[in-house]
Amino acid sequence: IPALRGNKKFLGCTAAFFVVAIVGLQSAMLSRRWEVPLANVYNDLILPYPARVEFMKKLGMPAADSPAYRQWFVENAPGAYARFLLFHPGYTAALFTAELDGIFSENIQPYFYSEKSAVRLALESANDLLHPKTNLVFALDVLIAAGLSFAAFRKRNPVFLTWLWFGLCLFFSALLTMAVGFFADSIGVTRHTMFAVEMFRLMNWLFLLILLDYANRAA
C-alpha cells in the first residue's frame, strides 16, 4: 500500500517486530526447551507409524535406537517435523480440527488447582458466560472478521480500516500461537493453547461491539 510505504513509524514498528521475532525464535532454539515437547511428538505421533518413519528417513533421520539419532534430533528434528506437516496438509488439518473441541473445552487454566469454594463456583459460572467452552468461538471470529472487512472496504472508512488491520493482526497472531502450542507437543495441548483460545474469545466480544457500532452509525 503506497500510503504505508512512506510511513516511517509503520516501517519502524514492522522492522522492530521482525527483529524481536527473530531474536525470540533464536533464543528459544538455543535454550533447547523445545526438546522435551518435540520428543513427545516424535514418540507419540511419528515413531509408532512406519509410513511416517519412512518419510523422516528420507529427510535423514537415523533409526531411533541408534547412537546417531540424538545428534540428528538436536540439529534437525524441528525442521523435519515442520516439513512433515507441510507435506501432509490433509493429516495436519485433520489432526487440528479433530482436537478443536478439546482445545476450546477449558476456560480456566488446567495446570494449577484450588479449593472449589462457593465463591469460586459462582465466579466460574459467570466465567462460562463470558468465555464459552465451544469451538463455535473460532467460527464466529472468522464471520466477524469477514463482516469487519466488508464494512471497512465498503465505506473506505479509515477508522474501520485501522480496526481491520488490528483485527487481522490479532487473528493471525492467535492462529499462529495456537498452531505452535498445538503441534509442538502431544501432551498438555489444552494448557499450551489456552492463551490463543482466550485471544479468540476476546476478539468475539471486541469486534462484535465494533460491528454493532458500525451498524448503528450506518442506520
Side-chain angles (χ1 to χ4, degrees):
I1 301 175
L4 295 180
R5 291 198 203 106
N7 190 321
K8 294 183 179 179
K9 290 183 179 179
F10 174 78
L11 295 176
C13 289
T14 303
F17 172 81
F18 279 107
V19 169
V20 171
I22 292 171
V23 171
L25 288 173
Q26 187 65 16
S27 174
M29 290 300 294
L30 292 175
S31 73
R32 294 173 66 170
R33 292 185 64 234
W34 55 269
E35 289 186 27
V36 172
L38 197 58
N40 294 333
V41 170
Y42 272 74
N43 292 334
D44 295 339
L45 303 178
I46 300 295
L47 298 179
Y49 302 92
R52 300 172 193 176
V53 171
E54 285 301 316
F55 179 87
M56 288 297 183
K57 285 184 176 179
K58 293 178 181 178
L59 299 180
M61 185 185 81
D65 56 355
S66 68
Y69 177 78
R70 173 62 184 168
Q71 184 65 28
W72 177 90
F73 186 88
V74 172
E75 296 178 354
N76 302 286
Y81 180 53
R83 291 180 66 181
F84 171 78
L85 294 176
L86 288 174
F87 279 91
H88 299 85
Y91 165 81
T92 303
L95 181 64
F96 179 71
T97 54
E99 295 294 333
L100 270 180
D101 281 339
I103 290 173
F104 282 87
S105 65
E106 292 285 350
N107 52 25
I108 298 174
Q109 63 79 27
Y111 195 70
F112 299 102
Y113 300 91
S114 60
E115 181 184 354
K116 294 288 185 178
S117 64
V119 174
R120 178 180 173 84
L121 292 174
L123 290 174
E124 287 183 2
S125 298
N127 182 54
D128 290 343
L129 294 175
L130 296 173
H131 305 278
K133 296 186 287 187
T134 170
N135 59 28
L136 183 61
V137 170
F138 185 79
L140 288 175
D141 276 326
V142 174
L143 291 175
I144 291 173
L148 194 62
S149 301
F150 177 78
F153 289 109
R154 182 185 181 192
K155 295 295 185 180
R156 296 288 179 177
N157 186 318
V159 174
F160 269 90
L161 281 173
T162 301
W163 278 117
L164 175 62
W165 284 111
F166 178 63
L168 290 177
C169 180
L170 277 182
F171 182 85
F172 286 108
S173 295
L175 191 61
L176 178 61
T177 303
M178 177 176 283
V180 172
F182 178 79
F183 288 107
D185 199 346
S186 58
I187 298 175
V189 172
T190 303
R191 175 167 58 91
H192 295 151
T193 56
M194 178 66 73
F195 175 72
V197 167
E198 292 307 319
M199 287 181 68
F200 282 120
R201 287 171 174 148
L202 173 64
M203 282 186 277
N204 258 196
W205 293 106
L206 177 62
F207 294 112
L208 182 59
L209 290 174
I210 294 168
L211 278 177
L212 290 174
D213 179 66
Y214 169 77
N216 183 58
R217 290 171 184 268

